Amino acid sequence: MYKKSNVNRIIATAGALGALTVLLTVTRLGFIPWFSGAAITVLHVPVILAVCLHPEGFSGLWAGTAVGAVFGLSSLVYAAVSPAGPIDPFFQNPLISVLPRILFAVCTFLLYKGFSALFKCLSKQSSSAFALLSVSFTAFLGTLFHAVFVLGALVIASAIPLQVMWAVIIGNSLLEAVAAVVLTAAVSGSVMGISKRQKSKLNSNQK
């Protein structure tokens, strides 16, 4: 059973990052302009943060899945209300807009747990550096999995050919993965620093 404080923390994080996802979608601030009219999206980053900011137990899974569902639903609604491209109508199908984002959240959780366990075995003690490495590797690979899930769903729906999927992954998704690493590492590092200072202050007060 989860403590009430932990449940409240999960709800608060999921609510804040879910709201951020909606804001980035509606304002289009989640899309960074790139060459040839292309754009690098960081809309998936709040899902990664929701997972990585909850390292204990399955907390990251619940928070990440909730934000992933919000991500997918906001994509579905935006595609229905304000379609901007030829493939946007396909995102009105929850199997393309919502399901891949939930699977992405689950995959990100598994990646984070796997890397955390690996680096813990290597360091044999708690380390901020290894924690940031876990976040960074998770953000990079998680972003690529997100691209494969969403683009793969579009391929299955015959919205795009397979060649386009790989072209987008190579041309856009690798850059999105780098952007995700920078953003998640920066936010996670700040949170870890604040948490470490709070623990140090608490320990000093107890002495």
Side-chain angles (χ1 to χ4, degrees):
M1 294 293 292
Y2 285 108
K3 294 181 180 179
K4 186 176 180 180
S5 59
N6 195 36
V7 172
N8 290 339
R9 181 167 170 258
I10 294 172
I11 294 173
T13 303
L17 291 175
L20 176 61
T21 300
V22 174
L23 178 65
L24 292 175
T25 302
V26 173
T27 61
R28 311 306 284 174
L29 291 174
F31 298 91
I32 303 172
W34 194 242
F35 297 111
S36 304
I40 299 173
T41 178
V42 293
L43 290 172
H44 62 290
V45 171
V47 179
I48 300 173
L49 286 173
V51 171
C52 296
L53 292 179
H54 292 277
E56 62 282 348
F58 289 91
S59 299
L61 176 62
W62 312 134
T65 301
V67 179
V70 172
F71 178 19
L73 288 171
S74 63
S75 176
L76 185 155
V77 171
Y78 192 88
V81 174
S82 182
I87 66 171
D88 276 6
F90 288 94
F91 283 90
Q92 296 175 27
N93 182 347
L95 295 178
I96 295 176
S97 57
V98 181
L99 181 60
R101 273 59 189 262
I102 293 176
L103 293 176
F104 156 59
V106 174
C107 182
T108 299
F109 171 77
L110 295 175
L111 284 171
Y112 182 61
K113 283 297 183 182
F115 283 122
S116 296
L118 173 62
F119 288 123
K120 188 175 182 179
C121 289
L122 292 176
S123 65
K124 296 182 180 180
Q125 60 182 353
S126 179
S127 168
S128 297
F130 281 115
L132 278 179
L133 279 176
S134 298
V135 170
S136 299
F137 279 109
T138 298
F140 189 87
L141 291 179
T143 299
L144 296 182
F145 274 109
H146 172 255
V148 170
F149 288 149
V150 175
L151 294 173
L154 289 171
V155 170
I156 293 173
S158 300
I160 60 172
L162 186 61
Q163 296 89 331
V164 170
M165 168 183 163
W166 291 116
V168 172
I169 289 175
I170 294 172
N172 271 46
S173 299
L174 289 175
L175 292 172
E176 292 172 357
V178 172
V181 169
V182 173
L183 291 173
T184 53
V187 174
S188 297
S190 298
V191 172
M192 289 176 190
I194 293 173
S195 178
K196 188 175 181 180
R197 286 194 296 270
Q198 288 177 338
K199 289 181 179 178
S200 298
K201 185 176 180 181
L202 181 62
N203 290 335
S204 62
N205 290 336
Q206 290 177 342
K207 290 181 180 179

